[in-house]
Amino acid sequence: MSCMAQQTYVSSRAAVPNLEFRPKGRGIVPRGLTFAAVLIILLMLAIIMGNILVGGMGTISWEFLTHPPEQGMKAGGVFPAIFGTVALVILMVIAVVPIGVFTAIYLQEYTSPTSWTTRLIRVAINNLAGVPSIVFGLFGLGFFIAFVGGGIDTLFFPEEGPVWGQPAIIWASLTLALLTLPVVIVSTEEALRTIPRELREGSYALGGTRLQTIWRIIIPQALPGILTGSILAVSRGAGEVAPIMFTGAAYYLPYLPGKLNDQFMELGYHIYIMATQSPDIEATKPILYGTVLVLLLLTFSLNSVAILIRSRMRRSRVGAQ
Amino acid sequence: MLVRNNTNNVRIQSVEAPATGGMEPAEQHKMLVEDLDFFYGEVQVLFDISLLIRLNRVTALIGPSGCGKSTFLRTLNRMNETIPGTRMSGKVLLDGHNIYEDFDDPSSIRTRVGMVFQQSNPFPKSIFDNVAYGLCVNGIKDKRLIRDVVEWSLQQAALWDEVRGKLDNSAFTLSGGQQQRLCIARALAIRPEVILMDEPASALDPVSTAKIEDLIGELRKQYTIVIVTHNMQQAARVSDYTAFFYEGKLIEAGQTKQIFTRPQMKKTEDYVTGRFG
Amino acid sequence: MEHLRFKSKSRWREFAGEKLISISAFTALLSILLIFVFVFKEAIPIFVDDYIKEDASLDKMLCQQEFYEGREAKWSWQPNSEVPKFSLLPLFIGTLKAALVAMLFAIPLGVGAAIYSSEFASRRMGEIIKPAIETFAAIPSVVLGFFALMVLSSFLQQVMGLTFRLNAMNAGIALGLAIVPIIFTVAEDAMTSVPGSLRDAAIALGATPWQVSLTTVLPAAMPGIFAGIVLGFGRAVGETMIVLMASGNAAIISISVADSVRTFSATIAAELGEVVFGDTHYHVLFLIGLLLFIFTFVVNLGGDIVLTRLKERLQGRTT
Ligand SMILES: Nc1ncnc2c1ncn2[C@@H]1O[C@H](COP(=O)(O)OP(=O)(O)OP(=O)(O)O)[C@@H](O)[C@H]1O
Ligand SMILES: [Mg+2]
């Protein structure tokens, strides 16, 4: 057989001008350039994280986490800001998760992807995700505080000063809820899409109504996705400052917020204030770095948990197929 | 044509054209595959395949779905290497050179062994740029030459008369059959010696299919063609040689006439007479 | 055999549940409308109220003004001075300057990293890049602003010998860091959704892997990459905390990136807390907010349309 392979052959190239192909490069330049972009990004990330970690490590202590600021924020801790942030995002989650989940369910289970309502809602969601956060702040001020809060005041508390028509934690959290709504919707939708059709049909075939199917089959199945979305929303909400500046955050409060219409301190806002308004930046620096580190740790740990849940969810989906 | 029978490694079965068959004697071969095994991950899908591919003849690969025809075809121009986790052993010779060992750059083999896919896949570019693509990535810079070759290729693919004057239109403006002929023209432009076709007409209507078959009839004068087809009549119409695959094994190969009229293996007979698959 | 008797399901509960779901679904749509209405509502007086028009007519906001007799006519933004000046031009230039620096910085990084990740990266490398980008995206903008204010600004000033520590370049680079993840994500998504059949076609014509990437995948994904850039630009224009902290906030007209700038968004953030509810300044800030809203709305809508079209085209071809 091998002797046949040695046979001479006739080239089949004929007639047309012969082509001289040149050997190709190894693509060093495109590879190198794009890799350099990756390296720069990784480097920047490392520098930022390293800087904040080194600057803030020394400050973080049990005292720091559990005590209020002292001496014009040059000493003490950030407990009220942590408390305010947590309270803020809890209220936000209570508002955003049901709405986000229902929207996702509506889009996935109730309408065809090509119907004009679905399209319109999708456009709205994408646009909501792109509205500048400061515009959310303006909206919170104009709608929640002036219109809704002010309305409640004129209706029910005409005698008193502003009760609801003023910056308050409820308005800040509702503003943030709108801002993070797309996050919850997108994440829940991704989970809903992975639920096999047979599961739904199985439930319908047993006489389940649509609502029962959603409540007993679909939502439990989508729970990891809903969780992921909620955590991502919290992580996003905890870091946003512009929307809460005018809707409820305060420089400094001697007390913790106890009612829905109280103002509150918040980590991100606290950072902004300390970094830009401090009369003695060198003296505030350790506290400032400590606060930044607390905020970063908070958002990153939330994000890592969300990513973990999501990758598990995706893996189990691949396994199922 | 030579086939190494899989059930018995020692016996070498010759299905060389019988002298009485009125065929050209001692035809030359272009490619030779020896002892080819192929794996997707741990799953072996090709078992010990040996096959000769004749110069300037059409060789048809037939067999039931999933038997490994496409996989085999793609080993002939090292396309399978682009799928991660695949593994193969054995030899594939092109003009006596092992394409897996004697070439540093797998892309240079593909300029000699061209390919046309089942689903026409023109680039989202103009008709001209589609045909010129292969020349450009292979370092041809001469504009005149490129224009000549594009025209020549389109003529060879019997598409020139339909697209002349609208070479700058997007390739997507063409009909399905035209798109497939564009893909053939694109493959011809780099002047391959062998053309691999994976069910090139299966997604087309009868008229377009007939055009493609005519085209293959023309091309076989200058090119060595290997074509995968599900369509028995098509294999009978266009091919000179036929190889029958079954469950990853090459069951029988020989002149098309012989395979369809006097198959030597029971499985082949069952398949070509439509008893299964 | 005994008959099972099923309770007839509560029609009412079913009805209420379904309504709740479909009403919730319109929240996003309603929000967008309300945002527009309420920001617009507070900006309207600028066009109708004579008192407000005195200081902030369109003419005064856009054209050069001679604020003091005999002095040179200028564009200036000094809303709290004795003669309030509401020219939007310095803010416009500031916004554009910061955003352009950001784009200059973020496009090569974002697109480059996306190409590398989609085309060249080994599996291991991919497992490093993606989480790194997600981490980047998770950094709150106030933290990036803080970093630019405390670290980056001093570094730039020393390296380049700048007069002002806080300037357009400093803010722009920090802003760029914030939009790299957007550009990366959208661009990478566009490239990975280029169907394998196109790659196969190019490979079969003798293209090497990097040629496949640059001559086939990249052109096919171009609309998506472009959309990513546009969306990134929208974000750069609207982003607030970074510019507020890192730009120096001086409303001056200059083209040098070494000068301080004041952007639209930072102006709202810095001034809304101090305005008198309902006076001219207040309404002008809402007008700026309206401009930002409309701008980002158009940008997002455009990017969205480009991306849907691209997906349809690429996916339509594989089926
Ligand atoms: N990328 C892949 N990864 C894993 N297994 C694969 C892959 N491609 C094909 N296979 C498997 O290899 C076997 C042979 O597939 P191949 O596509 O070569 O068959 P075929 O004869 O061309 O079938 P058809 O006539 O349907 O095109 C099949 O069992 C198939 O499931
Ligand atoms: Mg096949």
Side-chain angles (χ1 to χ4, degrees):
Chain A
M1 216 163 1
S2 57
C3 67
M4 300 193 68
Q6 307 300 321
Q7 274 184 6
T8 51
Y9 60 92
V10 181
S11 170
S12 62
R13 294 196 177 196
V16 274
N18 239 324
L19 300 172
E20 291 278 337
F21 289 156
R22 244 161 284 174
K24 288 150 245 183
R26 307 193 146 261
I28 304 282
V29 174
R31 259 171 218 278
L33 284 181
T34 53
F35 185 63
V38 171
L39 274 190
I40 293 175
I41 292 177
L42 295 180
L43 195 71
M44 295 301 283
L45 187 63
I47 291 175
I48 295 175
M49 307 290 273
N51 179 266
I52 291 167
L53 209 61
V54 170
M57 274 298 242
T59 316
I60 291 193
S61 64
W62 185 244
E63 303 292 339
F64 183 72
L65 297 176
T66 54
H67 282 258
E70 284 156 31
Q71 300 168 25
M73 299 183 189
K74 285 202 280 274
V78 287
F79 180 68
I82 295 178
F83 181 89
T85 307
V86 172
L88 177 76
V89 294
I90 288 177
L91 287 175
M92 177 197 85
V93 161
I94 292 174
V96 74
V97 170
I99 297 180
V101 171
F102 287 159
T103 307
I105 287 176
Y106 181 82
L107 290 177
Q108 284 294 318
E109 313 284 327
Y110 278 52
T111 57
S112 87
T114 49
S115 81
W116 68 270
T117 29
T118 320
R119 281 177 189 230
L120 209 59
I121 292 174
R122 258 181 221 296
V123 168
I125 292 167
N126 283 339
N127 271 290
L128 204 58
V131 171
S133 51
I134 190 71
V135 175
F136 276 101
L138 284 179
F139 172 68
L141 185 66
F143 179 70
F144 287 123
I145 296 181
F147 184 73
V148 181
I152 296 175
D153 280 355
T154 41
L155 278 180
F156 302 106
F157 310 98
E159 317 289 276
E160 301 159 55
V163 179
W164 292 97
Q166 60 168 1
I169 191 163
I170 178 74
W171 305 137
S173 55
L174 288 179
T175 308
L176 280 186
L178 291 186
L179 184 130
T180 52
L181 184 59
V183 180
V184 179
I185 297 176
V186 167
S187 191
T188 307
E189 268 202 281
E190 195 198 334
L192 291 178
R193 266 195 287 264
T194 66
I195 300 175
R197 191 141 45 92
E198 297 80 49
L199 222 53
R200 291 160 228 231
E201 284 167 357
S203 169
Y204 289 134
L206 293 173
T209 64
R210 185 150 68 171
L211 203 65
Q212 285 171 326
T213 307
I214 287 169
W215 190 245
R216 309 217 170 161
I217 309 286
I218 293 181
I219 291 188
Q221 281 282 316
L223 220 47
I226 296 172
L227 204 60
T228 311
S230 314
I231 295 172
L232 287 177
V234 167
S235 152
R236 173 89 195 277
E240 283 290 343
V241 178
I244 59 166
M245 275 178 143
F246 315 114
T247 51
Y251 288 102
Y252 176 75
L253 288 174
Y255 56 88
L256 296 175
K259 301 194 303 299
L260 287 180
N261 60 346
D262 278 341
Q263 285 194 279
F264 61 101
M265 290 175 70
E266 200 257 4
L267 283 169
Y269 191 58
H270 200 58
I271 292 169
Y272 164 64
I273 294 298
M274 284 196 292
T276 56
Q277 327 261 309
S278 166
D280 182 359
I281 188 72
E282 281 309 313
T284 13
K285 217 169 177 177
I287 303 268
L288 183 50
Y289 264 102
T291 315
V292 172
L293 186 55
V294 170
L295 178 61
L296 262 194
L297 289 178
L298 185 72
T299 49
F300 280 2
S301 49
L302 285 170
N303 254 63
S304 325
V305 172
I307 291 173
L308 218 68
I309 297 176
R310 194 175 53 193
S311 67
R312 280 235 178 134
M313 192 171 79
R314 285 192 181 148
R315 214 169 306 142
S316 71
R317 178 174 79 198
V318 171
Q321 276 179 349
Chain B
M1 181 161 285
L2 275 176
V3 168
R4 176 177 290 184
N5 193 309
N6 299 294
T7 49
N8 184 343
N9 267 346
V10 188
R11 209 178 86 213
I12 294 184
Q13 178 193 10
S14 171
V15 287
E16 194 68 44
T20 51
M23 296 288 147
E24 307 95 305
E27 288 178 358
Q28 286 163 318
H29 70 273
K30 183 70 186 171
M31 294 188 84
L32 174 64
V33 180
E34 275 182 25
D35 308 333
L36 181 79
D37 292 316
F38 191 88
F39 303 80
Y40 285 114
E42 290 309 305
V43 186
Q44 186 166 5
V45 296
L46 291 180
F47 299 85
D48 201 22
I49 310 276
S50 297
L51 183 69
L52 258 173
I53 291 162
R54 294 287 177 184
L55 178 67
N56 290 7
R57 291 291 174 273
V58 179
T59 305
L61 310 180
I62 60 171
S65 187
C67 65
K69 305 178 298 286
S70 301
T71 305
F72 175 75
L73 196 72
R74 290 162 61 94
T75 59
L76 301 182
N77 66 344
R78 294 181 64 169
M79 274 305 274
N80 277 330
E81 275 174 25
T82 62
I83 304 172
T86 58
R87 190 157 59 82
M88 66 157 276
S89 66
K91 280 195 216 157
V92 179
L93 305 183
L94 173 67
D95 293 339
H97 300 288
N98 189 332
I99 65 169
Y100 285 87
E101 279 165 13
D102 301 347
F103 297 83
D104 293 334
D105 180 5
S107 72
S108 67
I109 290 144
R110 300 182 193 124
T111 62
R112 297 179 58 184
V113 183
M115 187 160 200
V116 176
F117 298 83
Q118 174 170 11
Q119 201 78 44
S120 66
N121 51 0
F123 300 117
K125 300 174 190 271
S126 72
I127 293 170
F128 185 92
D129 288 347
N130 261 281
V131 184
Y133 181 90
L135 303 174
C136 297
V137 293
N138 287 297
I140 305 281
K141 298 236 165 62
D142 182 352
K143 288 263 160 54
R144 272 278 288 284
L145 179 62
I146 291 178
R147 222 166 347 152
D148 289 348
V149 175
V150 167
E151 179 177 341
W152 175 84
S153 316
L154 286 167
Q155 266 167 355
Q156 290 255 304
L159 193 60
W160 176 248
D161 293 331
E162 290 155 70
V163 300
R164 66 189 308 172
K166 24 180 208 178
L167 293 178
D168 289 333
N169 290 7
S170 160
F172 296 142
T173 58
L174 299 176
S175 74
Q178 287 174 324
Q179 285 190 13
Q180 189 62 302
R181 275 180 285 146
L182 178 68
C183 291
I184 294 176
R186 183 173 70 180
L188 295 178
I190 50 172
R191 309 280 298 115
E193 299 150 43
V194 182
I195 303 175
L196 312 176
M197 298 183 168
D198 194 349
E199 305 186 39
S202 69
L204 301 179
D205 60 281
V207 176
S208 304
T209 302
K211 279 192 183 154
I212 301 269
E213 285 180 12
D214 289 348
L215 182 56
I216 293 170
E218 281 301 311
L219 293 176
R220 72 183 276 281
K221 293 172 189 156
Q222 293 175 54
Y223 300 88
T224 305
I225 295 174
V226 184
I227 178 171
V228 173
T229 177
H230 263 133
N231 182 330
M232 229 53 63
Q233 283 80 36
Q234 187 172 65
R237 278 195 300 268
V238 303
S239 72
D240 305 296
Y241 293 89
T242 297
F244 172 60
F245 285 71
Y246 184 73
E247 288 180 349
K249 300 187 177 100
L250 178 58
I251 303 299
E252 186 172 357
Q255 288 187 342
T256 299
K257 214 183 197 174
Q258 176 251 312
I259 292 285
F260 279 91
T261 54
R262 284 171 284 117
Q264 306 197 335
M265 309 295 282
K266 178 83 172 59
K267 282 231 174 65
T268 318
E269 188 179 343
D270 289 348
Y271 186 72
V272 297
T273 53
R275 240 165 275 169
F276 72 89
Chain C
M1 211 207 297
E2 239 183 290
H3 261 295
L4 290 174
R5 210 168 267 277
F6 294 116
K7 252 204 294 196
S8 84
K9 290 158 196 152
S10 160
R11 290 222 149 262
W12 184 85
R13 204 158 16 130
E14 192 75 10
F15 178 79
E18 302 241 326
K19 273 285 160 287
L20 186 66
I21 287 176
S22 33
I23 290 173
S24 301
F26 286 88
T27 309
L29 190 58
L30 193 70
S31 308
I32 279 283
L33 290 178
L34 283 180
I35 290 175
F36 179 75
V37 167
F38 274 83
V39 176
F40 187 59
K41 195 182 81 154
E42 299 295 324
I44 286 179
I46 291 182
F47 305 103
V48 295
D49 190 315
D50 287 335
Y51 170 74
I52 287 172
K53 274 205 247 177
E54 214 165 280
D55 285 328
S57 62
L58 279 186
D59 174 51
K60 295 210 165 163
M61 287 189 289
L62 300 178
C63 302
Q64 242 169 338
Q65 295 297 313
E66 207 175 289
F67 292 107
Y68 306 98
E69 246 161 79
R71 297 242 205 112
E72 193 192 350
K74 282 200 291 196
W75 289 278
S76 23
W77 175 265
Q78 286 169 1
N80 295 321
S81 81
E82 219 165 296
V83 183
K85 309 180 188 74
F86 291 109
S87 171
L88 297 184
L89 192 71
L91 308 184
F92 177 76
I93 290 177
T95 306
L96 209 60
K97 242 160 68 173
L100 286 182
V101 174
M103 297 316 284
L104 234 53
F105 185 74
I107 292 173
L109 288 188
V111 176
I115 295 175
Y116 187 83
S117 164
S118 139
E119 302 298 313
F120 303 135
S122 63
R123 229 204 170 95
R124 278 254 314 276
M125 203 56 206
E127 275 165 17
I128 297 175
I129 298 173
K130 289 243 178 89
I133 298 276
E134 290 200 32
T135 310
F136 228 118
I139 300 179
S141 58
V142 68
V143 174
L144 285 178
F146 160 83
F147 179 78
L149 174 71
M150 306 288 287
V151 185
L152 185 64
S153 56
S154 307
F155 173 77
L156 287 176
Q157 188 179 32
Q158 270 176 18
V159 171
M160 317 190 90
L162 308 175
T163 331
F164 305 104
R165 206 169 66 91
L166 300 181
N167 53 48
M169 190 181 350
N170 183 43
I173 291 177
L175 206 50
L177 291 178
I179 57 179
V180 160
I182 298 179
I183 297 181
F184 174 90
T185 312
V186 179
E188 212 241 6
D189 189 42
M191 280 190 281
T192 45
S193 55
V194 170
S197 65
L198 279 191
R199 293 177 192 267
D200 277 358
I203 293 168
L205 290 169
T208 56
W210 69 269
Q211 285 180 319
V212 175
S213 306
L214 295 190
T215 61
T216 309
V217 180
L218 206 57
M222 216 26 133
I225 295 172
F226 176 72
I229 291 173
V230 168
L231 292 176
F233 186 68
R235 170 86 193 273
V237 167
E239 173 55 53
T240 309
M241 294 317 287
I242 295 175
V243 280
L244 181 61
M245 296 170 81
S247 70
N249 287 317
I252 51 176
I253 293 185
S254 102
I255 52 160
S256 162
V257 291
D259 283 331
S260 278
V261 290
R262 189 181 192 88
T263 69
F264 282 136
S265 55
T267 303
I268 302 176
E271 296 173 10
L272 192 67
E274 291 146 25
V275 296
V276 180
F277 188 88
D279 83 347
T280 310
H281 189 187
Y282 173 86
H283 292 297
V284 172
L285 292 182
F286 269 87
L287 177 72
I288 293 175
L290 184 68
L291 291 178
L292 283 179
F293 177 79
I294 292 174
F295 175 77
T296 49
F297 188 88
V298 169
V299 159
N300 283 311
L301 206 60
D304 214 37
I305 291 172
V306 171
L307 285 179
T308 340
R309 289 243 177 102
L310 178 72
K311 281 268 163 71
E312 274 170 10
R313 207 177 77 190
L314 290 179
Q315 273 157 21
R317 294 209 2 77
T318 49
T319 49

